[in-house]
Amino acid sequence: MSTAAPLIAPERVDDPAEDERDERDRPWNVIVWNDPVTLMTYVVFVLRKLFGHDEPTANRLMLQIHHEGKAIVASGPREKSESDVTRLHAHGLQATLSRD
Amino acid sequence: MRLGTRERDLLRSLPGQLRPLLSGDRDLDTGSGWVRERLFPAAYDDPMDELEYRQLVGTSPADDRLAAVEDFAATLDGGAVRRGVWTADLTPEQADAWLSALNDARLTLAMVVGITDESQWRRAAARTDPTTIALTWLGWLQEELLTALMTTLDD
């Protein structure tokens, strides 16, 4: 019997800590949903005020919300996204956060 | 801001209706949902995430909206009336408070009137009940205010 250490093909060892980091790093999307009451102008105003969008960008997002029912208006870490949702709620918009 | 005294009276009736809804002292089942669910929508689909989120934000969403209603009410109590016309100069902070209060009032009245999709605005335009007329007029007023405030934003 050989005393030499057997040759073992290298294999990927999953590092749970790495998986957790990957999970934490996945960005959260801030979604604004269409509603039949909020004025289009108001949505544009709030998006410009809160996110600093220029008028064409805010208009494009507003029209996407209006026609498609929702739009992602920001993405980022969970804490920042929660803060964005809170600010959108404070302005009366229907906003949620989720990850793909 | 420049309004007829009757319009000002209508606006002065709003804080009394909004305060109990925002503070949670009262909720209103309109048939198309509870008003507080629309005023304070969920942030998460997942109930546990939502519970944590609600604990995190605490009462600040309601407190901020109530503070805006108080600023709105205070400016309505100020200003000057001459020949049936009320005028008041709004600071940028007061204008923000007006936007907030007007928006909360519109969201609430629209639920009472039963606006659950955009096509219902056409039917609402033909209605002559005071709530629907108030809802339409508040939309016009909010639009006017927004037109003025848009010029204060930088591109």
Side-chain angles (χ1 to χ4, degrees):
Chain A
M1 186 177 282
S2 168
T3 56
L7 288 174
I8 301 172
E11 62 184 52
R12 180 188 161 89
V13 177
D14 287 332
D15 177 358
E18 189 177 307
D19 287 347
E20 277 175 28
R21 272 198 301 278
D22 288 348
E23 180 68 8
R24 276 202 307 271
D25 291 345
R26 275 173 59 210
W28 287 80
N29 294 324
V30 177
I31 301 165
V32 173
W33 298 82
N34 187 46
D35 83 74
V37 179
T38 307
L39 299 175
M40 289 174 159
T41 329
Y42 183 68
V43 175
V44 171
F45 177 80
V46 171
L47 293 178
R48 290 184 64 190
K49 181 181 160 190
L50 297 190
F51 299 104
H53 292 315
D54 58 21
E55 191 169 5
T57 305
N59 263 318
R60 181 180 54 75
L61 286 169
M62 178 276 290
L63 288 172
Q64 190 183 350
I65 294 164
H66 183 67
H67 292 301
E68 298 175 21
K70 63 178 180 176
I72 296 171
V73 300
S75 292
R78 184 172 191 167
E79 197 172 305
K80 166 77 167 56
S81 298
E82 280 187 342
S83 165
D84 287 340
V85 166
T86 305
R87 293 190 304 150
L88 287 161
H89 285 178
H91 286 78
L93 299 193
Q94 297 213 64
T96 55
L97 67 161
S98 63
R99 286 197 287 196
D100 294 329
Chain B
M1 186 58 64
R2 185 179 162 88
L3 295 169
T5 48
R6 287 181 62 185
E7 283 84 9
R8 179 202 190 193
D9 289 343
L10 187 155
L11 295 179
R12 288 175 101 173
S13 73
L14 298 178
Q17 298 173 62
L18 289 173
R19 282 185 196 108
L21 291 168
L22 290 170
S23 67
D25 287 345
R26 179 173 167 242
D27 203 348
L28 196 58
D29 183 3
T30 60
S32 55
W34 291 91
V35 168
R36 276 182 57 82
E37 280 182 16
R38 177 59 192 90
L39 294 177
F40 302 104
Y44 287 98
D45 287 337
D46 182 86
M48 287 309 292
D49 284 340
E50 179 63 15
L51 186 64
E52 280 179 28
Y53 172 75
R54 295 273 172 171
Q55 285 170 345
L56 181 74
V57 297
T59 60
S60 62
D63 296 343
D64 292 347
R65 306 267 274 279
L66 279 164
V69 166
E70 296 314 325
D71 286 349
F72 173 71
T75 51
L76 282 164
D77 287 340
V81 176
R82 192 172 174 205
R83 294 181 184 168
V85 176
W86 172 76
T87 54
D89 292 327
L90 302 186
T91 65
E93 292 76 21
Q94 288 168 333
D96 277 344
W98 272 59
L99 267 188
S100 175
L102 291 177
N103 205 59
D104 285 343
R106 288 191 72 248
L107 292 174
T108 302
L109 292 179
M111 287 189 77
V112 171
V113 168
I115 304 279
T116 53
D117 69 68
E118 271 136 32
S119 67
Q120 288 165 325
W121 282 108
R122 280 194 293 277
R123 274 202 297 278
R127 289 171 57 170
T128 55
D129 59 283
T131 309
T132 305
I133 290 171
L135 174 63
T136 306
W137 182 74
L138 290 175
W140 171 83
L141 182 61
Q142 194 182 20
E143 196 82 66
E144 291 286 303
L145 194 55
L146 282 164
T147 302
L149 287 174
M150 280 291 191
T151 61
T152 65
L153 296 174
D154 297 325
D155 260 343

